[in-house]
Amino acid sequence: MSNPNGVAFYVPGALLLLAGCLKLPAVWRIPKDELLRSVCVLLFVAAGVFAVAAVPSIAAINRITGIPNAAAPVVYTILTAFSGSSLVLVIHWSSGPAQAEQAARWSRRCHWATLAVITAVIGLFALGDAPAERLVDLDTYYANTPYIREMIVLYLVAHTTAAVTMTVLCTRWARVVQGPLRAGLVLILIGYVLSLVYDALKFTAVGARWTGHDLDRLSWPVAPPIAALSALLIGIGFVLPRLSQRFMELVGPWRRYHQLQPAWRELRVATPHSINLVGGLRTPIDVRVCQLESEIYDGILTIHPYLDPEVHALSLVEARKTARTDEDAAVIADAAAVAHAVVVWATRTADQSAVPDERSGDGPVLSSAVNAAGLVLLSQALAKSPIVRATRVAAVLESSTR
């Protein structure tokens, strides 16, 4: 390859190997998860591609086996296995429970096709004669050698077929999904487009030898770095959605805890006798979020008799002028009503001579507080909406003039 000491191959290979090892405990815990197992296999095979394709590794394989160019079928085998494992992973990835049987059937076909190509590659190398060791230019040097020529063409055809198939599948799927999954598919798609560029360069260089021309520079040193980048992007693309899911599982509760803080600060004055929020590094974040939500709901129940339907209605009219949707406007109106009610409740509570308001059944229904997602939206509106801020200020001024 074009990197004589192999560092450009060994570093990404080590990272992919580490990612695969980190997946092993989950595979052991859930041995029947075909998708998880396929991801793990792909990571190890991708690491193998980087491990065997570096120049020092090619030289070492030849030296250890004592067979000139024995590394060639090894590299072609790993590349073919990588293409096959990619197809298997996409089959499991894009199939739901209803398509499990069909996915298993197509996976078996991919396994058999991959095994057939690998067997043919090894057999053709055994039949051929390649006595001169070629570390970087075997494809072009032996482009006209019987059996070795067929081995080279076979691996390139198999690799190209897999790349075209993956490009089509990923393009179709990327059009109908969003978020980290789509980002991963885009990386995989770019990786396989680069694979097709690699194949085109190889075919061109080999074809030039067949016609008596010399375009060896396309096969080496141009093509190998493209192949390395392709394998790296494909590996990252397959891992990215799983990493994003795990990241959100870890970060999501902390993000929710932070988002709920404005609502808790707004309403904590109305819940002075509720339990204190737990703290400390040993307290699970899920417990903190649960207690925070409990505090907020307690505060809403306390101020409910002071929710003013007129304030809610006027705020809803104002919010509809700037809100993107009716749902956003409703959240802002709910938040404005809560901010107003907190001020009124605090004023009435401070005035010991005031007669308690008994309008508990007449206040507006806070539609945004009926579920966890709506509670977050309510909290954010309490912190950010200028309508809510203006309503709060007006309530304070009104209370101070009484």
Side-chain angles (χ1 to χ4, degrees), residues 215-229:
L215 293 177
D216 291 6
R217 64 183 180 280
L218 297 181
S219 178
W220 183 86
V222 176
I226 295 176
L229 179 58

Side-chain angles (χ1 to χ4, degrees), residues 86-310:
S86 298
L87 285 168
V88 169
L89 179 51
V90 166
I91 289 170
H92 288 299
W93 203 6
S94 59
S95 302
Q99 295 85 34
E101 185 176 346
Q102 182 182 16
R105 184 166 60 252
W106 279 104
S107 295
R108 285 193 296 270
R109 291 177 181 176
C110 286
H111 288 314
W112 282 112
T114 302
L115 183 60
V117 172
I118 290 173
T119 302
V121 164
I122 296 173
L124 289 169
F125 179 78
L127 292 172
D129 183 24
E133 183 183 49
R134 310 302 300 184
L135 297 180
V136 296
D137 63 346
L138 182 140
D139 293 343
T140 52
Y141 187 84
Y142 289 107
N144 291 302
T145 303
Y147 298 112
I148 303 298
R149 172 185 58 218
E150 284 75 15
M151 177 191 71
I152 295 168
V153 172
L154 176 61
Y155 112 81
L156 285 175
V157 169
H159 192 261
T160 302
T161 301
V164 170
T165 303
M166 288 292 294
T167 300
V168 172
L169 292 176
C170 291
T171 300
R172 290 177 179 175
W173 197 12
R175 291 173 179 171
V176 298
V177 296
Q178 300 293 332
L181 178 55
R182 184 173 187 176
L185 287 171
V186 169
L187 286 177
I188 295 170
L189 179 59
I190 295 172
Y192 274 104
V193 169
L194 290 176
S195 288
L196 291 174
V197 173
Y198 167 84
D199 293 330
L201 292 172
K202 286 286 187 177
F203 271 123
T204 301
V206 171
R209 280 286 185 142
W210 294 343
T211 59
H213 298 83
D214 184 354
L215 293 177
D216 291 6
R217 64 183 180 280
L218 297 181
S219 178
W220 183 86
V222 176
I226 295 176
L229 179 58
S230 167
L232 184 61
L233 289 176
I234 293 168
I236 294 173
F238 278 118
V239 173
L240 179 62
R242 305 283 291 197
L243 289 179
S244 298
Q245 180 182 358
R246 181 58 178 161
F247 178 78
M248 289 307 300
E249 289 174 356
L250 295 174
V251 175
W254 287 100
R255 183 168 179 264
R256 179 170 175 76
Y257 183 79
H258 173 72
Q259 290 174 327
L260 288 172
Q261 288 293 320
W264 178 74
R265 287 193 295 267
E266 187 87 29
L267 290 160
R268 65 180 173 179
V269 65
T271 55
H273 302 299
S274 61
I275 60 175
N276 293 326
L277 288 174
V278 293
L281 297 176
R282 296 184 180 181
T283 304
I285 185 59
D286 291 337
V287 175
R288 301 189 199 185
V289 171
C290 183
Q291 287 198 334
L292 202 64
E293 291 174 342
S294 178
E295 290 276 326
I296 293 170
Y297 279 121
D298 286 346
I300 290 175
L301 287 175
T302 301
I303 66 163
H304 187 269
Y306 301 92
L307 293 173
D308 193 323
E310 184 177 352

